[in-house]
Structure formats: C-alpha cells, structure tokens
Amino acid sequence: MSVLQIVDLHASVSGKKILNGITLAVSSGEVHAVMGPNGAGKSTLAAVLMGRPGYEVISGSVTLDGVDMLSLPAWQRAQAGLHLVMQYPSEVPGVSLDHVMEQALIERGRSTEGLDQVLESEAARIGFSSELLHRALNVDLSGGEKKRNETLQLAVLRPSIAILDELDSGLDIDALRDCASRVEALTNETGLGALVITHYNRLLEALPPDVIHVLVKGRIVATGGPELADELERSGYEAYAVDEPGPASSSALDDLFAH
Ligand code: ADP
Ligand code: MG
C-alpha cells in the first residue's frame, strides 16, 4: 500500500507564483482526477511533483510512503515509484523504447528477464505496433501512438503512483479508450494509484475517478465524487472563479474548449 501525500504545496515558475497551497493524498488503487481550466496550474503541479528543473517549491511537502520527494532529483523520485506521463511526450532520437525500458528496470534493481515478451504482450494489449518498440522513442509517432507508448511504459514499469497529465490530449477516441482502460486495469491488477489531470469529462468516462478535485488559479476550490465532473460539464469552471484580479470568467470558459 502506497500513499502520495501533498500538503499545502506552494510553488512558482520563473518567479511567478502558480501553486497556492495544494493538499491531497492518493493511495494505491485510487484514481484522483484534478480538473481545471487552462492555465490553472495543472501541468505545473505535475512538474513540481516529478521534480522538473526550473520549478521552485516555496513551501509545503510531498511524500511517497513517508519519504520526502522534494529533496530528490526526478530520477530518484521515479525509482521510489512515482511516474509521470507528460502532456506532450518528448521525442528521443537515437534511443529505442525497448532500450529505455531495459535501463529503467535495471535502475530500479529489477530483472529484465523476459522483457521482450512482456513488451510484445503489452504492445498487443494497448494496440501499439510491436515494430515501434525498436524504433527511436516517440520520433515521428502520431499523438495516439505516443500516448499508447507512454501507457505501455506504465504497464511495464509498474510504478506505485502515476501522474497522468492530459492523457487525453492529442488522442482520438479509440486510443483514448484503450489507454484509459489500461490505466484502469492497472489500478486493479497492480494497485496503481493515479492522479489524473484533465479538463475533459470524456477521459473520466473511461477511467472513472474515486475523487475529483477542481483546481482553479493554483488552488483546489472543490473536492467531491464523480458527480462533480457532470456538474463541471454542465456549468464549466465559472462557478469556481476565484475572486481576485485575473482573466474574466468568460475567458476561463473559452479556455475549457480551446486546445
Ligand atoms: P495548466 O496545465 O492548468 O493549463 P500550467 O501549469 O501549464 O496550467 O500553467 C499555469 C500558469 O503558469 C500559466 O499562467 C502559465 O502561463 C504559467 N507558466 C507555466 N510555465 C511557465 C514558465 N516556464 N514560465 C512562466 N510562466 C509559466
Ligand atoms: Mg497543462
């Protein structure tokens, strides 16, 4: 049983305060959605949790099973069991997926025996062409192939907690369903805990959350059950607009449907 615990997290990027006190906890097997309009700080939260350089934590704590994550570099957070699926997966010329998976397992002190078969069967399961396993990571892949690839990595590495930043962005409906249902299966099969960042309800239809948090201007302004997603679908984020200078609430609503 693992717990990712975030307590009163404040953070800035390029001297601009973005996260204004985030508190939430994700346990094994749970799916927590973080929903919010563009610019709310969702990707910033993902970056800060994973230790991406350039983000400054001002105060607060992030622990995984009691271990302080904020003092560790990104690769050690990954070794500890935290995994980020980025909104826009990077292309890595010259390095193949099978090679990356082999190295990642070695770094985690895990066996690479039978890795080829695991990769083949996971590729088949997620609908990822097995030829792509041996090609440069994400290079020239479609949006859907990139996200299938990222989901495949999750299934092979079996982290304790995954942060999925807009898994649904750049995906067609079939790829979305395949990726979401693979993540959902992992929560049952390996006890994966998932922090699912999205601004669309459609991802949550395929990956039903236990808890939904609404993030607006770097603050969680509401937390509730799955019914909160339906409410947001109807009324947008306008009702949660934080009372301070900033973009007019109508633009927050426009952002919801922008891409
Ligand atoms: P979301 O993922 O919810 O759309 P982000 O976390 O990407 O929001 O961005 C939150 C805010 O932080 C936005 O106003 C964005 O312009 C700003 N921001 C993000 N990254 C940087 C950066 N590197 N430098 C300056 N501002 C940034
Ligand atoms: Mg984002």
Side-chain angles (χ1 to χ4, degrees):
M1 176 77 175
S2 286
V3 187
L4 175 70
Q5 184 110 42
I6 305 166
V7 179
D8 200 21
L9 185 63
H10 294 253
S12 64
V13 58
S14 307
K16 184 176 166 194
K17 183 97 187 290
I18 309 289
L19 300 183
N20 295 305
I22 306 286
T23 298
L24 63 90
V26 183
S27 297
S28 295
E30 290 180 349
V31 176
H32 285 240
V34 172
M35 302 188 77
N38 278 332
K42 302 185 299 297
S43 293
T44 301
L45 175 63
V48 169
L49 292 177
M50 210 56 215
R52 186 165 167 193
Y55 292 79
E56 190 198 351
V57 174
I58 298 163
S59 61
S61 66
V62 177
T63 58
L64 178 60
D65 300 333
V67 177
D68 174 28
M69 290 291 108
L70 297 178
S71 61
L72 301 178
W75 63 273
Q76 284 182 344
R77 298 185 199 196
Q79 278 187 352
L82 209 54
H83 185 100
L84 172 64
V85 173
M86 287 185 290
Q87 183 167 3
Y88 304 107
S90 321
E91 299 191 0
V92 190
V95 185
S96 61
L97 175 61
D98 52 356
H99 185 72
V100 169
M101 290 295 93
E102 185 180 16
Q103 288 305 314
L105 290 173
I106 290 169
E107 278 166 19
R108 287 162 177 74
R110 304 238 306 267
S111 168
T112 58
E113 218 183 295
L115 177 60
D116 287 344
Q117 289 99 302
V118 171
L119 287 170
E120 292 285 340
S121 70
E122 287 296 344
R125 188 163 177 188
I126 194 74
F128 187 71
S129 164
S130 61
E131 276 167 41
L132 300 177
L133 294 170
H134 314 292
R135 278 204 353 218
L137 190 64
N138 284 325
V139 174
D140 295 332
L141 299 194
S142 71
E145 284 171 333
K146 284 181 182 172
K147 294 292 172 94
R148 287 183 202 268
N149 171 340
E150 295 288 318
T151 307
L152 184 157
Q153 293 178 39
L154 199 59
V156 173
L157 295 177
R158 312 207 154 189
S160 27
I161 304 287
I163 303 150
L164 305 156
D165 190 5
E166 311 251 355
L167 182 66
D168 44 349
S169 89
L171 276 190
D172 61 43
I173 203 79
D174 293 337
L176 174 62
R177 186 200 52 228
D178 291 349
C179 291
S181 62
R182 187 68 190 98
V183 174
E184 161 73 9
L186 286 169
T187 65
N188 300 318
E189 289 167 12
T190 71
L192 176 73
L195 187 63
V196 180
I197 293 171
T198 183
H199 61 196
Y200 290 113
N201 212 353
R202 62 178 189 187
L203 173 61
L204 305 180
E205 284 162 8
L207 179 53
D210 300 293
V211 183
I212 293 179
H213 309 273
V214 182
L215 182 73
V216 178
K217 293 183 181 168
R219 284 190 183 85
I220 290 175
V221 295
T223 293
E227 71 286 348
L228 204 46
D230 301 326
E231 191 186 316
L232 287 168
E233 189 81 353
R234 281 194 305 273
S235 51
Y237 295 105
E238 206 169 9
Y240 298 100
V242 179
D243 197 15
E244 63 180 279
S249 53
S250 64
S251 73
L253 200 61
D254 292 341
D255 280 349
L256 175 59
F257 300 103
H259 228 84

